[in-house]
């Protein structure tokens, strides 16, 4: 990521109105831990294109990383709205929900992560058996992490049943 940053900084210098370049720079800065620069770049990207789901989601992830849960929730809602109005539609919303669930799980916010996984499962078509199984395993990890062995085993059994249906 460090090698990409100067290239992206040069790109936004050459075309300061390129919302996509600002968003990619923001993502790189977030991954490098430069939250101040990431925040500024997300703000610029969103100002240039307020309906860009990826920038809105990146901003939500940054706010979550910073511990600003309420602002992150609002930014995630904005990203979901934008994705629903974009070409990616429901599948984009589902992927954003999974991304937030994984980030919440990494931060130890297991109940919030489980809520995201449950929502993603409800958005997922029944014919996506393998993907459903993978999300069910992630949900099982959340409840097992909360010390609820019985529920965790139930989620794992659902994942196993989902995989069997695919064969």
């Amino acid at each position: 990521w460090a090698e990409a940053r100067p290239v992206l900084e040069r790109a936004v210098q050459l075309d300061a109105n390129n919302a996509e370049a600002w968003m990619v720079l923001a993502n790189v800065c977030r991954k490098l831990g430069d939250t101040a620069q990431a925040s500024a770049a997300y703000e610029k990207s969103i100002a240039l294109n307020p309906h860009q789901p990826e920038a809105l989601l990146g901003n939500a992830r940054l706010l979550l990383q910073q511990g600003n849960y309420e602002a992150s929730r609002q930014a995630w809602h904005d990203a979901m709205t934008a994705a629903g109005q974009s070409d990616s539609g429901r599948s984009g919303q589902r992927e954003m929900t999974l991304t937030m669930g994984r980030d919440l799980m990494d931060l130890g916010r297991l109940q919030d992560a489980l809520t995201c996984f449950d929502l993603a499962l409800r958005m997922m078509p029944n014919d996506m058996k393998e993907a459903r199984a993978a999300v069910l395993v992630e949900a099982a990890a959340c409840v097992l992490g909360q010390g609820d062995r019985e529920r965790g085993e139930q989620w794992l059994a659902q994942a196993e049943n989902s995989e069997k249906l695919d064969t």
Side-chain angles (χ1 to χ4, degrees):
W1 299 114
E3 298 83 22
R5 186 175 180 168
V7 173
L8 291 162
E9 288 172 340
R10 181 74 177 133
V12 297
Q13 285 176 348
L14 293 173
D15 184 2
N17 293 320
N18 186 332
E20 182 82 15
W22 282 106
M23 182 206 50
V24 175
L25 174 60
N27 287 337
V28 166
C29 290
R30 179 176 52 82
K31 289 176 183 179
L32 290 172
D34 186 348
T35 57
Q37 181 63 33
S39 181
Y42 281 129
E43 284 180 27
K44 182 69 174 175
S45 178
I46 293 166
L48 291 167
N49 183 357
H51 305 291
Q52 184 180 21
E54 296 84 3
L56 294 163
L57 177 64
N59 189 49
R61 295 180 77 193
L62 175 65
L63 292 165
L64 181 64
Q65 184 181 344
Q66 294 173 324
N68 192 342
Y69 301 114
E70 287 308 312
S72 174
R73 187 180 311 233
Q74 181 58 52
W76 176 75
H77 181 268
D78 293 345
M80 292 288 284
T81 300
Q85 297 168 351
S86 74
D87 291 339
S88 66
R90 190 98 165 143
S91 66
Q93 290 175 323
R94 184 179 59 249
E95 291 307 312
M96 288 181 178
T97 303
L98 288 170
T99 297
M100 289 301 286
R102 291 175 184 127
D103 286 354
L104 287 160
M105 194 166 132
D106 289 345
L107 292 171
R109 295 184 60 94
L110 301 180
Q111 189 57 48
D112 292 333
L114 186 59
T115 300
C116 285
F117 294 143
D118 185 52
L119 178 59
L121 284 167
R122 286 187 270 133
M123 290 187 213
M124 197 171 285
N126 289 332
D127 63 348
M128 294 182 69
K129 307 274 190 278
E130 190 174 302
R132 289 182 73 77
V135 175
L136 288 163
V137 168
E138 289 179 287
C142 282
V143 295
L144 288 169
Q146 293 172 320
D148 191 340
R149 184 181 174 104
E150 184 178 331
R151 277 182 60 213
E153 288 177 0
Q154 290 171 352
W155 284 96
L156 288 173
Q158 287 181 47
E160 191 173 281
N161 288 336
S162 181
E163 287 177 340
K164 286 179 184 174
L165 295 172
D166 206 23
T167 57

